[in-house]
Amino acid sequence: GNSVTQMEGPVTLSEEAFLTINCTYTATGYPSLFWYVQYPGEGLQLLLKATKADDKGSNKGFEATYRKETTSFHLEKGSVQVSDSAVYFCALRGSNTGKLIFGQGTTLQVKP
Amino acid sequence: DAGVIQSPRHEVTEMGQEVTLRCKPISGHNSLFWYRQTMMRGLELLIYFNNNVPIDDSGMPEDRFSAKMPNASFSTLKIQPSEPRDSAVYFCASILTSGYTDTQYFGPGTRLTVL
């Protein structure tokens, strides 16, 4: 079945550091891939998405590229801020379904 | 658009009591999802509906949990009787599965504490 695996957290970085959160997936067909972010005390918000191979999703300085050959969708940001501290979830949506499969989430802590 | 609306935002109850969580999806969305989030188990899909019909309830923990969607603008998740291990944040999400957009929108969640 479909599954998503994320790197374990927490990830602790200093402000302006480079961020990578790894995400790999297993799926049949051609899934869509997502990154959601959850700030403390809030629900999940869509951060970015990619719907086909080689697509790059980007938002708020975050980027992720849909790599079918390595079944990966790693999240990157060149310079993190304290306000980026949150939990980040990688997810996939299979073909012909609205159901999302989430990874376990990675906590990011950015220190000033 | 008001987004996905959940009520109550916080609920504290005693073991054995019935708990009802409510969700109003975004207008026009045709699929609705109930999730549970805990530190131990992360984010779990409990059940989802498409056009008001339950499609996949394999994540519902046991018979104490039930969910309904009587119309396109309202859903409930009921726990009866509640137990302390049900304490969690429960999220509702909705999506328009048109094939042209595939973004799930989440509500703010209901934090349930069962004493």
Side-chain angles (χ1 to χ4, degrees):
Chain A
N2 295 345
S3 67
V4 176
T5 302
Q6 288 180 237
M7 64 186 287
E8 296 227 5
V11 174
T12 303
L13 296 173
S14 298
E15 207 163 23
E16 300 184 2
F18 184 86
L19 168 71
T20 300
I21 300 178
N22 290 338
C23 171
T24 57
Y25 68 90
T26 301
T28 56
Y30 302 93
S32 296
L33 300 175
F34 305 82
W35 278 100
Y36 278 81
V37 59
Q38 184 179 29
Y39 298 102
E42 298 184 11
L44 279 70
Q45 305 173 26
L46 179 68
L47 180 60
L48 53 85
K49 66 179 181 181
T51 57
K52 61 183 187 296
D54 299 325
D55 269 2
K56 177 185 284 188
S58 61
N59 185 26
K60 299 181 181 179
F62 291 89
E63 293 183 340
T65 301
Y66 187 161
R67 302 283 188 202
K68 194 165 179 64
E69 63 276 13
T70 54
T71 62
S72 65
F73 193 56
H74 303 323
L75 182 68
E76 296 182 337
K77 186 174 185 182
S79 176
V80 293
Q81 305 301 311
V82 173
S83 57
D84 294 327
S85 298
V87 181
Y88 292 82
F89 292 89
C90 185
L92 73 81
R93 179 193 173 201
S95 305
N96 302 316
T97 175
K99 180 177 175 179
L100 283 174
I101 307 296
F102 283 93
Q104 68 269 38
T106 302
T107 299
L108 170 65
Q109 298 174 337
V110 180
K111 299 189 173 181
Chain B
D1 198 317
V4 176
I5 298 172
Q6 290 187 248
S7 64
R9 292 294 311 275
H10 298 89
E11 176 81 30
V12 180
T13 191
E14 293 189 344
M15 183 173 63
Q17 296 298 304
E18 177 181 294
V19 175
T20 299
L21 311 182
R22 297 173 176 79
C23 175
K24 177 178 169 53
I26 291 174
S27 177
H29 283 190
N30 61 348
S31 290
L32 182 141
F33 304 78
W34 282 102
Y35 294 90
R36 177 172 69 176
Q37 187 177 39
T38 61
M39 290 292 291
M40 291 295 293
R41 299 172 70 91
L43 193 63
E44 304 172 275
L45 176 65
L46 300 177
I47 185 171
Y48 87 92
F49 296 85
N50 184 252
N51 294 322
N52 311 338
V53 175
I55 301 300
D56 182 352
D57 65 355
S58 59
M60 295 286 265
E62 50 199 271
D63 291 346
R64 297 186 297 107
F65 285 69
S66 62
K68 295 182 179 179
M69 191 164 187
N71 57 61
S73 59
F74 184 65
S75 177
T76 60
L77 177 67
K78 185 176 293 186
I79 308 172
Q80 166 64 17
S82 58
E83 296 182 4
R85 60 191 168 124
D86 302 330
S87 297
V89 181
Y90 291 81
F91 290 103
C92 176
S94 70
I95 187 175
L96 174 60
T97 52
S98 67
Y100 295 98
T101 179
D102 47 13
T103 300
Q104 279 193 23
Y105 292 88
F106 281 72
T110 295
R111 182 174 294 278
L112 173 65
T113 302
V114 183
L115 302 175

